[in-house]
């Protein structure tokens, strides 16, 4: 029973992240969703069985979704590509990203480099998680309204053009947050809310006999998609139509992808360890994720790895390792049947679910945690990083945040009163009895002997 709500939310996550990955390209969203669903199901089975945490659930990740979208966009729109080669080149680029990150994860775990994340200032970690939450909210809103949001003017335009769709998604977010607030049973939270939302949407449309085409035109429903079977990727991935020079983005974008994706995975593993008290070995989890990602990437899947949100849900519904395996098998069955659930699920439903996850992260990392564990300056840094990331890319935000955090640390240390006193032997005599010659020598050399007292260090 516990596997059902986890599987439903996991599919909603895969669908929304798949739509986010395909944005800005001509790649069919159902094809990307199928690839992500396959990788989530396969990684879910293996990680649930082999991870040291019995509650481990694999799913997509917001930061990885954003960088997968970057690779797809760069490859699809590369000047060297023709209309015939764009699709296979973009798909090959996404698979190459999976293989690359699989190698990076394994090597970092093999050389025990996971502990490097612990040296990042805590405001940077909190700011990063706030950035992820903000990107989830933005991505969910894009899914709900069906158009890009690159500026405040786009938000105002969307509110005017599709007010009902925006209102429905925001209402769903408010309902989910309110149910969380009153401690509604987690195992029924998303399943029950989605079931009620579907009834409230389809019952009136059936009674009023509103045609599906009209709902698609108004933005409530996705366009009807043909099923994408397990072999759909390989029908499109023709090696003779791949533009090989377009597979890899610019070096700076590759560096940003590797850095942010690695930090994201290490932080997610750390978050699961803290929440479940499973005493995970982060290097072992990195190695395991690397091997699983290599397997999945080599067989046509994208990156699927540890999901703290779904682990928390799995923990709340009282399930264990069997639940993780069962929900992954349900997703695998859905992938094999190739039924496009996005033909059934309204835009506002998927977007609202995704936005609710992001809002919960924003509340935790922009308000709850900073008020307890940070100074005002550090809290301001977290807020600034989150806001900056909505306009600029994550990698520049992270490195800019590290620079500001270092400057704040230097300023803080420079104001500390470390020295308690500083005297010499000329004014400070020892209580020890000495001979006349020794006493005369000490008096003569007294100015050369310095005595320092430090704050917080007991005198002896």
């Amino acid at each position: 029973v516990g596997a059902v709500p986890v599987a439903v939310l996991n599919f909603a996550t895969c669908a929304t992240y798949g739509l986010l990955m395909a944005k800005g390209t001509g790649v069919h969203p159902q094809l990307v969703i199928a690839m992500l669903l396959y990788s989530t199901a396969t990684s879910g089975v293996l990680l649930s069985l082999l991870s040291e945490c019995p509650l481990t659930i694999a799913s997509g990740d917001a930061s990885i979704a954003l960088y997968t979208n970057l690779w797809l966009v760069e490859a699809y729109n590369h000047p060297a590509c023709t209309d015939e080669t764009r699709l296979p080149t973009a798909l090959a680029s996404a698979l190459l990203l999976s293989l690359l990150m699989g190698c990076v994860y394994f090597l970092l775990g093999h050389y025990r480099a996971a502990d490097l994340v612990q040296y990042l200032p805590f405001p940077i970690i909190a700011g990063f998680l706030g950035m992820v939450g903000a990107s989830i909210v933005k991505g969910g809103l894009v899914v709900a309204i069906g158009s890009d949001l690159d500026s405040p003017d786009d938000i105002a335009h969307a509110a005017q053009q599709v007010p009902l769709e925006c209102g429905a998604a925001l209402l769903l977010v408010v309902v989910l947050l309110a149910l969380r607030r009153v401690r509604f049973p987690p195992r029924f939270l998303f399943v029950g809310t989605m079931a009620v939302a579907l009834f409230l949407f389809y019952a009136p449309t059936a009674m009023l006999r509103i045609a599906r085409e009209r709902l698609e035109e108004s933005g409530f429903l996705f366009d009807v998609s043909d099923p994408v079977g397990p072999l759909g990727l390989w029908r499109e991935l023709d090696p003779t139509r791949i533009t090989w020079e377009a597979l890899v983005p610019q070096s700076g974008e590759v560096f940003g992808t590797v850095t942010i994706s690695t930090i994201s995975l290490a932080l997610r593993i750390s978050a699961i360890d803290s929440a479940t008290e499973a005493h995970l070995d982060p290097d072992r989890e990195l190695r395991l994720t690397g091997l699983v990602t290599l397997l999945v990437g080599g067989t046509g899947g994208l990156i699927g790895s540890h999901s703290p949100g779904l682990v928390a849900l799995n923990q709340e519904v009282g399930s264990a390792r069997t639940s993780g395996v069962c929900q992954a098998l349900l997703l695998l069955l859905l992938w094999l049947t190739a039924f496009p659930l996005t033909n059934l699920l309204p835009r506002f439903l998927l977007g609202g679910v995704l936005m609710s996850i992001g809002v919960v992260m924003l509340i935790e990392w922009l308000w709850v945690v900073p008020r307890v564990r940070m100074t005002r300056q550090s809290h301001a840094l977290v807020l600034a990083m989150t806001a900056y990331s909505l306009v600029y890319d994550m990698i520049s935000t992270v490195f800019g945040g590290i620079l500001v955090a270092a400057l704040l640390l230097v300023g803080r240390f420079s104001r500390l009163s470390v020295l308690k006193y500083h005297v010499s032997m000329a004014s400070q005599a020892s209580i020890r009895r000495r001979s006349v010659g020794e006493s005369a020598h000490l008096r003569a050399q007294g100015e050369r002997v310095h005595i320092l007292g430090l704050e917080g260090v007991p005198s002896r």
Side-chain angles (χ1 to χ4, degrees):
V1 178
V4 175
V6 178
V8 170
L9 183 56
N10 207 346
F11 172 79
T13 303
C14 289
T16 48
Y17 285 162
L19 293 169
L20 187 61
M21 291 176 184
K23 185 182 70 172
T25 72
V27 181
H28 200 293
Q30 285 297 332
L31 183 56
V32 182
I33 292 173
M35 294 171 66
L36 187 57
L37 194 62
Y38 163 71
S39 61
T40 298
T42 306
S43 301
V45 172
L46 295 175
L47 291 179
S48 295
L49 291 174
L50 301 176
S51 174
E52 292 180 325
C53 176
L55 298 169
T56 296
I57 302 291
S59 185
D61 175 69
S63 57
I64 292 177
L66 292 173
Y67 278 103
T68 303
N69 172 252
L70 172 66
W71 282 55
L72 284 171
V73 169
E74 290 291 325
Y76 190 87
N77 298 319
H78 196 278
C81 289
T82 64
D83 292 339
E84 185 181 0
T85 63
R86 293 186 191 281
L87 179 58
T89 301
L91 295 175
S93 180
L95 294 179
L96 179 62
L97 172 60
S98 298
L99 296 175
L100 170 65
M101 293 313 305
C103 293
V104 171
Y105 292 155
F106 178 80
L107 291 175
L108 289 176
H110 179 73
Y111 290 105
R112 309 193 66 82
D115 289 340
L116 293 177
V117 177
Q118 298 179 5
Y119 293 98
L120 287 174
F122 183 72
I124 302 302
I125 296 176
F128 171 77
L129 293 173
M131 290 158 52
V132 172
S135 67
I136 292 175
V137 173
K138 180 180 177 181
L141 191 56
V142 168
V143 170
I145 65 177
S147 60
D148 293 339
L149 296 175
D150 298 322
S151 68
D153 292 337
D154 292 337
I155 299 177
H157 179 72
Q160 294 175 357
Q161 295 296 319
V162 285
L164 294 179
E165 293 83 343
C166 291
L170 294 176
L171 178 61
L172 181 60
V173 173
V174 172
V175 170
L176 287 170
L177 293 177
L179 292 176
R180 283 178 178 272
R181 181 71 177 177
V182 299
R183 301 185 183 280
F184 191 81
R187 69 176 63 197
F188 303 118
L189 177 63
F190 289 100
V191 176
T193 304
M194 293 175 70
V196 172
L198 286 172
F199 174 79
L200 293 177
F201 176 72
Y202 278 109
T205 56
M207 293 176 60
L208 297 174
R209 298 182 179 181
I210 301 176
R212 179 185 176 90
E213 290 75 13
R214 184 177 175 184
L215 294 174
E216 291 178 4
E217 292 175 0
S218 62
F220 275 105
L221 290 178
F222 296 98
D223 295 336
V224 175
S225 301
D226 296 327
V228 178
L231 299 179
L233 168 68
W234 303 109
R235 294 193 184 99
E236 302 291 347
L237 197 63
D238 183 358
T240 62
R241 294 191 293 126
I242 295 176
T243 304
W244 298 99
E245 63 186 274
L247 287 182
V248 183
Q250 300 294 325
S251 57
E253 294 170 341
V254 175
F255 176 75
T257 301
V258 171
T259 303
I260 296 298
S261 300
T262 302
I263 293 175
S264 173
L265 177 58
L267 290 176
R268 282 181 279 127
I269 293 173
S270 178
I272 292 174
D273 188 31
S274 300
T276 61
E277 297 182 353
H279 305 292
L280 295 176
D281 179 356
D283 293 302
R284 181 185 181 277
E285 296 296 317
L286 272 178
R287 291 195 302 272
L288 175 61
T289 306
L291 292 174
V292 171
T293 303
L294 284 171
L295 172 64
V296 169
T299 53
L302 303 176
I303 302 172
S305 56
H306 304 66
S307 172
L310 293 178
V311 168
L313 177 61
N314 194 21
Q315 188 177 28
E316 289 175 349
V317 298
S319 302
R321 199 179 297 273
T322 53
S323 176
V325 175
C326 289
Q327 69 86 29
L329 292 176
L330 288 174
L331 294 178
L332 191 61
L333 180 62
L334 189 61
W335 172 72
L336 289 172
T337 58
F339 178 74
L341 278 182
T342 51
N343 289 350
L344 174 66
L345 301 177
R347 281 184 174 274
F348 76 86
L349 184 59
L350 291 179
V353 169
L354 191 61
M355 288 169 64
S356 70
I357 298 173
V359 170
V360 169
M361 292 187 67
L362 289 175
I363 293 173
E364 180 175 2
W365 293 104
L366 299 189
W367 180 251
V368 177
V369 173
R371 292 186 65 193
V372 177
R373 299 184 57 180
M374 296 184 195
T375 63
R376 291 182 179 180
Q377 293 86 350
S378 297
H379 190 182
L381 174 60
V382 173
L383 295 174
M385 288 179 63
T386 304
Y388 189 87
S389 68
L390 292 174
V391 181
Y392 301 96
D393 61 289
M394 280 189 172
I395 186 64
S396 63
T397 306
V398 169
F399 283 105
I402 292 176
L403 176 61
V404 174
L407 295 175
L408 289 176
L409 189 63
V410 171
R412 182 181 175 187
F413 281 160
S414 66
R415 292 191 298 269
L416 290 178
S417 179
V418 178
L419 194 61
K420 186 186 300 182
Y421 57 82
H422 178 197
V423 297
S424 68
M425 280 294 293
S427 60
Q428 188 76 17
S430 172
I431 62 173
R432 181 178 178 182
R433 293 183 179 273
R434 303 181 185 275
S435 65
V436 176
E438 289 177 344
S439 298
H441 178 74
L442 289 175
R443 284 194 299 270
Q445 302 295 327
E447 293 293 342
R448 300 178 62 184
V449 180
H450 296 267
I451 304 172
L452 303 177
L454 303 179
E455 292 286 350
V457 180
S459 302
R460 294 189 179 181

